[in-house]
Amino acid sequence: MSGINWTEILITIGGVLTALILAGLRQLAKALTNWVGQKVSNEKVKGALILGTDAVVQAVAEVQQVVVNELKAAAADGKLTSEEITKVKNLALEQAKRNLGANGMKLIQAALGFSVAQVEQWLSGRIEAVIAENKNP
């Protein structure tokens, strides 16, 4: 009568448990990697949005201070013409791009997956929003 070889049974169980633990650790590592990747991506997007918005707010304030106030003072009715409004918005866009610099523009492009034209369109939209907020605080 052969006896039970507990050593072999324990080695077999240990091998199975090791395989299960390793599989669990691989899944955990994969989930952690995905989470970190998403977190980093979200942080990059958030940073790009903040960077772009700050550049726009500064640009609108600068153009308001330097150009808009002078144009309004020179106008008989104190209001800007539609051509002047377009000019002011274009000046604000150019100033926002200068505030961002080439690196800031590239960062926004990379974080949001935008082309240069799409970044400019997004900045223009933010400029419109900031102007509207300034008119109706």
Side-chain angles (χ1 to χ4, degrees):
M1 180 169 173
S2 72
I4 300 175
N5 187 342
W6 289 105
T7 304
E8 285 185 31
I9 292 173
L10 289 175
I11 290 173
T12 303
I13 290 173
V16 170
L17 287 176
T18 300
L20 290 173
I21 290 170
L22 288 175
L25 288 174
R26 278 193 294 273
Q27 289 298 323
L28 181 61
K30 186 177 182 180
L32 183 60
T33 300
N34 288 341
W35 178 81
V36 168
Q38 185 177 16
K39 181 82 170 153
V40 167
S41 176
N42 289 343
E43 290 300 318
K44 284 182 180 179
V45 169
K46 181 179 174 183
L49 294 174
I50 290 170
L51 178 69
T53 299
D54 285 350
V56 164
V57 168
Q58 290 173 355
V60 169
E62 292 167 15
V63 171
Q64 175 75 34
Q65 185 70 29
V66 174
V67 178
V68 173
N69 292 342
E70 289 179 13
L71 289 174
K72 283 183 175 181
D77 61 359
K79 295 183 179 183
L80 301 179
T81 66
S82 59
E83 293 83 18
E84 290 171 327
I85 291 170
T86 299
K87 177 184 174 185
V88 165
K89 289 178 184 175
N90 289 335
L91 288 171
L93 174 60
E94 292 307 313
Q95 184 60 47
K97 289 173 17 182
R98 277 192 299 277
N99 290 349
L100 286 169
N103 289 338
M105 289 290 287
K106 287 178 186 174
L107 187 140
I108 293 172
Q109 284 178 262
L112 302 179
F114 282 178
S115 67
V116 172
Q118 288 172 315
V119 172
E120 290 176 353
Q121 185 178 14
W122 179 77
L123 290 171
S124 293
R126 288 301 305 138
I127 288 167
E128 293 282 347
V130 170
I131 290 170
E133 288 170 15
N134 290 347
K135 285 183 181 178
N136 304 314

